[in-house]
Amino acid sequence: MSESPKKYRLDRTAFQARNASEQVNYGKEHQKLTWQERMRIHQYLNSIAYGYDLDNPPRMDKTFFQIKKRE
């Protein structure tokens, strides 16, 4: 058997179980923030999800996209 099941373990204390009404109240807490503060939180979560440095985000690869004219 490989070591991977022993190496990675789920930390069950990191999250809390919530019902639907508690989740709605959690969102209301963030509505009190300004849009700039919410944008900072969004940028931070994106940097964690996609694994890039927050101070040095990757540039968009503009060669991937193409512009085509419709006829």
Side-chain angles (χ1 to χ4, degrees):
M1 195 175 248
S2 67
E3 295 181 28
S4 61
K6 295 178 184 178
K7 187 176 181 181
Y8 301 105
R9 301 182 80 190
L10 177 63
D11 182 11
R12 297 184 187 276
T13 63
F15 302 99
Q16 297 176 354
R18 297 180 183 215
N19 61 22
S21 64
E22 290 172 339
Q23 193 64 26
V24 170
N25 293 338
Y26 179 76
K28 287 182 182 179
E29 294 174 10
H30 288 286
Q31 287 180 346
K32 298 174 186 175
L33 300 174
T34 65
W35 69 269
Q36 291 95 343
E37 291 170 329
R38 286 185 294 209
M39 188 58 74
R40 262 187 245 116
I41 293 170
H42 171 74
Q43 290 172 339
Y44 171 73
L45 292 175
N46 267 347
S47 72
I48 297 299
Y50 293 107
Y52 62 84
D53 184 20
L54 188 59
D55 297 326
N56 188 16
R59 297 192 49 86
M60 183 172 74
D61 182 13
K62 295 180 182 177
T63 61
F64 183 76
F65 301 99
Q66 295 178 5
I67 298 175
K68 294 182 180 179
K69 186 176 180 180
R70 289 187 181 191
E71 293 186 42

